[in-house]
Amino acid sequence: LVGLALGLVGYTFFANLLGHWLPADWAFILAGVATLLLGLAFAWRGKRPILDRRDLTSAWVQFLVFFLVTIAFLLISRGVALFDEPKNLTIISRMATGDIPPHFYLNADYHFRYHYGFQLFAATLMRIGGLLPWSAFDLAKSIAFALALMLTSLLAQRFSGKTWAGPFAAFVIAFAS
């Protein structure tokens, strides 16, 4: 899961960087290639083998929980319109058409001074995955929230050394955020 989170951050970074100069399709595809190559470079330079069966036998439970948490949050977030949805859907739609960094939707002469990581990931899901803006944004938020909870759980287990601390910390973060 840590590798998945690092890959998502790396992908978003490369998509943002390449989106300044390339069309959206090329930026999103090449960001995936760059992330894959960077991951393989780090794996190749490491002391462990790139693919180890023991990793798959221990990680499948984490990925199953991640998938189920993502689905749960996706079902919860579908149809829930927050106060900033018009702004986010506008940004997602503009970035999916290649406007990276996005221009301010009320005045196109200015770049939108806003953190747009989730929106860029949603624009990728919209452009490459063929999703509608609201579905792409709901899926991007669900994946990000599930990853945050799972990483919180792993961190709490690592620091405390107790297996119950992970789910407890994730539960607290889920309702404290």
Side-chain angles (χ1 to χ4, degrees):
L1 284 176
V2 174
L4 178 66
L6 287 173
L8 183 59
V9 169
Y11 175 81
T12 307
F13 171 77
F14 286 125
N16 183 40
L17 185 68
L18 295 170
H20 284 73
W21 299 289
L22 297 174
D25 288 335
W26 282 103
F28 296 153
I29 291 169
L30 291 177
V33 171
T35 304
L36 176 66
L37 292 175
L38 185 64
L40 287 175
F42 276 109
W44 178 69
R45 297 285 298 164
K47 293 179 171 84
R48 297 178 49 189
I50 292 177
L51 294 175
D52 189 359
R53 285 182 181 243
R54 291 176 292 180
D55 289 341
L56 296 177
T57 57
S58 64
W60 74 269
V61 174
Q62 291 177 358
F63 281 107
L64 178 64
V65 171
F66 167 71
F67 179 74
L68 293 175
V69 170
T70 300
I71 296 299
F73 284 118
L74 182 61
L75 292 173
I76 290 169
S77 68
R78 285 179 50 202
V80 177
L82 299 176
F83 64 93
D84 62 347
E85 292 294 322
K87 171 190 57 122
N88 289 316
L89 297 180
T90 304
I91 295 170
I92 291 167
S93 298
R94 290 188 66 99
M95 285 193 292
T97 62
D99 187 19
I100 303 171
H103 287 83
F104 187 47
Y105 55 92
L106 295 177
N107 186 351
D109 292 335
Y110 296 100
H111 284 286
F112 196 55
R113 303 280 184 220
Y114 186 74
H115 54 89
Y116 52 86
F118 293 130
Q119 290 87 353
L120 184 59
F121 179 51
T124 300
L125 294 173
M126 185 179 163
R127 185 67 177 222
I128 303 295
L131 297 176
L132 295 171
W134 47 86
S135 300
F137 191 48
D138 287 343
L139 183 58
K141 289 187 300 186
S142 299
I143 289 172
F145 195 59
L147 262 177
L149 292 182
M150 296 298 294
L151 292 175
T152 299
S153 177
L154 289 174
L155 187 67
Q157 285 179 0
R158 176 70 58 98
F159 279 152
S160 70
K162 297 177 179 20
T163 55
W164 62 266
F168 179 74
F171 180 81
V172 168
I173 291 298
F175 290 100
S177 63

